[in-house]
Amino acid sequence: MSWLEKVQNSSQNWIKIANETFNSDSIRNFQEQVFKASTATTFSPSQLGILSGILIALLVNAKNHKQHQKFINNLKSSNVLSLVKVIGICFVVVPLFVGILGIFLIYRSFVNVILNLKYGTRYRGILDANDAIWTVEDHTWKSVINILAILEGQQPNKTSNNPEDIVLLIQEKFRNLQSYTSEPYRKVYYKLNRELGYSFWTTDNINIDNYVRLIEVPCSSEYLNLKDLQLWLENTSNNILPNNHSALWEILISSKPFKEDKKLKYPIICRVHHSLGDGVALLRFFLEAIADQDATKTRPLNHHRKLEINVRKTITELLRWTKLIGSIPFHIVQHFSDSSDNNTLHGPRLSGQKVSAWFHESSVDLLPRLRKLKRTIPHSRFSDIILTALSASLNNHFKKVSHPVPEVLRIIVPARIEAPSTDFRLENKFSVAVQKLPIIQMSSESLSVSRMVTRVKRETDLVRSKPDYVINYGIMRVFGYLLPYPMLSGILDSKLATMVFSNLPGPVEEATLGNYRIANLSFSVPHRDLTGVGFTLLTYAGRIQIAICADKNLISSALEASKILQDTYNNLKYFVTVSE
């Protein structure tokens, strides 16, 4: 019996097991993703099919004889050299890779013991995998989320409406928080350390006065203007955190307010290291622990509900890791074979100097109309409409800087991989995927709003039909747990995409802080590697709050950044106007 016949006979058994074990639709989606992917030139799509059939046999989807015969034909059409490469990967590269990870697992365990002995009761363990990936930083980009909050006194004539009052109020909030015994709130007071290649937590006696501070913002008059506020945020955005960047947060209160609509408003910048938690967790912490809401309240779960959640979680994890094991090799090949975006917003090394701009909608007007528009476009998402408006705005930006307008650019879209827990936790439970954003030309002869949004929606649908979010989450979990932080930088880099797009739903009602209402709230996401532009959307109290933060090597002035935001907002208004 020839080697080909032996493989053919063996493949029949593999196919039978695969069909009986796995959901056929899930496997078909995976295969389509693999064959459509742009992979390294070493393998053709048919050869990759052989690789998935021989090495990851359980992922083969062949329900009938016709599919089985197609598999065999692919096998016959491949050359011996390709099969040698496949066998080499199977019996040399994969075992070597697993062995190296095993060595790091042993080393990590050894480091854990050493650190435990060294720090004793102060030691709180090596960072969780999804927290650890944010300890990879550079002097030009820090893993810090910057939140801009605008406070307004609810009693304009009250003498206590002043920045010093706000400082004392927030300091008292955090001193009270120190008495909480629950672990999520204790994490706020941890110290971030780096030794022996790993990042770990320790407890520390912190001085709240060093974390919540009044800042003298440079200003030539009694009140700040918009430019003063922008410069303050830009100059602060990439600074290290207190205690030589070992602290996880700081809150800075401007010593001077600014006037808007004849009202005094007090700007606050909250700076939080991303290892403390993702956007969903941090927003909840900000509103529950700092604003006037009871942070200790949780909704109790009965025994049956807890059991149901555990069973669902277990099944989800099994399916996720099964899919992950077969997908990681192809995903890594695709990542390293892809070419980077080529446009004026991507390419140069980041300088570390930031440009910031924001747009806070003043009244509840646009958001309800956008939601109504969404319902008229079949199966569309709110984010699809926002991205369409942003795309048209970027088209204008590229023209103004006299640079060729790209047909598409790639954006990084974070998403929660797990639903938020009913119990509050400061954690990173998100994943990312890279999505293509078509650059849309708006003119009197252009497509209708529905067709423009549909163009963007197709790319969103394509990303969501692939397992990219699950695969990237698994990669972060595996490598973030095992590898020392110096090695994570090369594996978890961000060099292909132009921009990060983050869409965060906020509270439906305004929050308060003592005698102040939190009138507006916006945030910026960290830059990383060559991705130096971040566009963020927060829906707050029924109003749209958008912001952009970019490296100065990519967008040279706050005026340019503000124009991108203003155009985006104007496009959204145009969408709802022509659609009503």
Side-chain angles (χ1 to χ4, degrees):
M1 181 181 294
S2 67
W3 63 269
L4 185 59
E5 292 173 334
K6 291 180 179 179
V7 171
Q8 180 175 351
N9 292 336
S10 299
S11 68
Q12 294 176 357
N13 295 327
W14 293 339
I15 293 166
K16 181 179 180 181
I17 294 172
N19 286 324
E20 293 175 351
T21 307
F22 295 101
N23 178 275
S24 59
D25 292 335
S26 174
I27 298 170
R28 186 181 297 108
N29 287 336
F30 168 73
Q31 280 195 315
E32 290 174 356
Q33 184 259 332
V34 170
F35 289 120
K36 290 179 181 178
S38 174
T39 56
T41 56
T42 306
F43 299 102
S44 68
S46 62
Q47 293 164 348
L48 282 173
I50 299 164
L51 179 61
S52 64
I54 297 177
L55 303 183
I56 314 171
L58 293 179
L59 293 176
V60 174
N61 177 33
K63 293 179 61 177
N64 51 45
H65 176 73
K66 183 178 180 181
Q67 290 174 310
H68 171 248
Q69 191 60 45
K70 182 179 179 181
F71 173 82
I72 297 303
N73 290 337
N74 285 335
L75 184 61
K76 291 178 178 179
S77 64
S78 64
N79 55 51
V80 175
L81 180 59
S82 296
L83 289 176
V84 170
K85 293 177 182 178
V86 169
I87 295 170
I89 290 176
C90 180
F91 295 104
V92 179
V93 178
V94 172
L96 181 61
F97 178 72
V98 173
I100 291 173
L101 292 182
I103 293 172
F104 281 118
L105 177 61
I106 296 171
Y107 176 65
R108 186 184 190 276
S109 303
F110 172 75
V111 170
N112 187 54
V113 172
I114 296 299
L115 295 175
N116 204 344
L117 293 173
K118 179 177 179 179
Y119 291 94
T121 56
R122 292 178 53 211
Y123 182 62
R124 287 294 180 269
I126 297 176
L127 268 64
D128 181 72
N130 284 45
D131 294 342
I133 63 174
W134 291 108
T135 63
V136 178
E137 297 176 293
D138 185 81
H139 70 282
T140 61
W141 44 270
K142 303 297 181 187
S143 299
V144 177
I145 297 172
N146 293 280
I147 304 169
L148 175 65
I150 307 298
L151 271 60
E152 180 184 314
Q154 299 188 82
Q155 301 177 29
N157 298 323
K158 191 173 177 63
T159 57
S160 62
N161 285 343
N162 58 73
E164 290 82 4
D165 177 51
I166 297 174
V167 172
L168 294 175
L169 192 60
I170 297 177
Q171 287 178 346
E172 185 63 23
K173 288 273 186 181
F174 276 97
R175 288 192 177 96
N176 293 336
L177 202 63
Q178 281 182 300
S179 64
Y180 288 11
T181 57
S182 64
E183 192 63 25
Y185 294 101
R186 296 303 305 165
K187 187 179 179 182
V188 176
Y189 302 101
Y190 284 173
K191 180 180 179 182
L192 179 60
N193 308 268
R194 296 174 175 87
E195 288 184 30
L196 301 173
Y198 289 94
S199 302
F200 60 96
W201 307 119
T202 58
T203 57
D204 203 5
N205 294 322
I206 72 170
N207 185 351
I208 297 297
D209 294 345
N210 296 331
Y211 284 64
V212 183
R213 309 193 306 276
L214 192 67
I215 301 297
E216 295 290 336
V217 180
C219 177
S220 58
S221 64
E222 183 181 0
Y223 302 112
L224 299 175
N225 57 38
L226 177 61
K227 186 175 181 181
D228 295 327
L229 186 53
Q230 284 179 326
L231 287 174
W232 181 40
L233 182 58
E234 290 168 3
N235 294 334
T236 302
S237 293
N238 207 45
N239 289 346
I240 63 172
L241 291 166
N243 297 339
N244 197 28
H245 210 53
S246 65
L248 297 176
W249 59 275
E250 66 176 351
I251 298 179
L252 310 176
I253 299 94
S254 170
S255 60
K256 294 181 179 181
F258 66 94
K259 270 191 173 182
E260 188 177 70
D261 300 328
K262 298 182 179 180
K263 298 177 181 178
L264 293 182
K265 300 190 176 182
Y266 303 87
I268 294 177
I269 298 176
C270 302
R271 308 186 64 237
V272 188
H273 199 279
H274 213 319
S275 63
L276 186 62
D278 57 30
V280 173
L282 293 175
L283 180 64
R284 183 173 174 181
F285 170 75
F286 180 86
L287 294 172
E288 292 187 2
I290 303 176
D292 294 328
Q293 299 182 28
D294 189 352
T296 63
K297 283 185 178 180
T298 57
R299 184 173 61 187
L301 298 175
N302 60 42
H303 173 73
H304 296 291
R305 180 59 178 156
K306 288 181 179 179
L307 180 60
E308 178 186 348
I309 290 175
N310 289 332
V311 170
R312 282 176 172 268
K313 189 173 182 179
T314 301
I315 294 174
T316 301
E317 285 296 312
L318 285 174
L319 293 175
R320 178 182 298 153
W321 284 99
T322 299
K323 198 171 189 178
L324 168 68
I325 291 171
S327 304
I328 283 181
F330 303 103
H331 193 80
I332 293 176
V333 168
Q334 180 181 348
H335 175 77
F336 284 105
S337 63
D338 277 349
S339 57
S340 299
D341 277 353
N342 181 23
N343 59 71
T344 55
L345 297 179
H346 185 265
R349 288 188 59 85
L350 305 187
S351 66
Q353 296 178 301
K354 309 298 181 186
V355 167
S356 297
W358 57 89
F359 182 91
H360 297 154
E361 191 180 18
S362 58
S363 62
V364 180
D365 173 56
L366 186 57
L367 188 58
R369 297 165 71 190
L370 286 173
R371 287 171 174 162
K372 183 179 178 181
L373 171 62
K374 185 184 80 70
R375 291 192 291 270
T376 67
I377 304 175
H379 309 294
S380 66
R381 305 169 186 83
F382 181 72
S383 60
D384 294 331
I385 300 175
I386 302 296
L387 283 173
T388 304
L390 173 61
S391 170
S393 175
L394 292 174
N395 179 76
N396 292 339
H397 172 77
F398 287 125
K399 288 181 177 179
K400 286 176 182 176
V401 297
S402 300
H403 191 272
V405 180
E407 293 185 4
V408 298
L409 57 79
R410 277 177 285 195
I411 59 175
I412 298 172
V413 185
R416 263 251 167 175
I417 201 71
E418 296 179 12
S421 170
T422 53
D423 297 326
F424 174 66
R425 296 176 185 174
L426 280 169
E427 59 187 358
N428 282 287
K429 288 294 183 183
F430 78 100
S431 183
V432 296
V434 177
Q435 174 179 332
K436 289 183 178 179
L437 178 64
I439 301 302
I440 293 172
Q441 169 75 41
M442 285 183 61
S443 66
S444 57
E445 297 83 25
S446 65
L447 300 173
S448 66
V449 173
S450 177
R451 295 181 67 183
M452 286 190 291
V453 173
T454 300
R455 282 186 61 189
V456 174
K457 176 184 173 297
R458 288 195 200 102
E459 297 297 335
T460 306
D461 291 343
L462 180 61
V463 169
R464 295 195 176 207
S465 69
K466 298 178 181 180
D468 289 28
Y469 279 108
V470 175
I471 295 171
N472 286 330
Y473 185 71
I475 289 174
M476 289 189 291
R477 293 289 297 172
V478 172
F479 292 141
Y481 182 84
L482 293 176
L483 298 186
Y485 62 83
M487 300 184 64
L488 289 175
S489 179
I491 295 175
L492 303 176
D493 60 21
S494 180
K495 298 179 180 178
L496 303 179
T498 294
M499 178 184 295
V500 177
F501 171 76
S502 181
N503 174 19
L504 195 61
V508 295
E509 296 180 355
E510 281 187 348
T512 60
L513 177 61
N515 189 46
Y516 302 86
R517 57 184 281 262
I518 302 176
N520 291 298
L521 200 61
S522 56
F523 69 103
S524 65
V525 291
H527 299 159
R528 195 179 183 97
D529 294 303
L530 296 182
T531 304
V533 182
F535 181 96
T536 57
L537 165 69
L538 176 68
T539 52
Y540 176 65
R543 293 177 280 115
I544 286 178
Q545 320 266 280
I546 52 178
I548 192 168
C549 181
D551 191 271
K552 278 193 175 180
N553 279 352
L554 306 175
I555 296 179
S556 60
S557 69
L559 184 61
E560 282 186 35
S562 296
K563 183 59 178 173
I564 293 174
L565 292 182
Q566 187 63 58
D567 284 351
T568 301
Y569 184 74
N570 291 342
N571 291 338
L572 291 172
K573 291 178 65 177
Y574 170 78
F575 290 170
V576 297
T577 300
V578 300
S579 302
E580 289 177 342

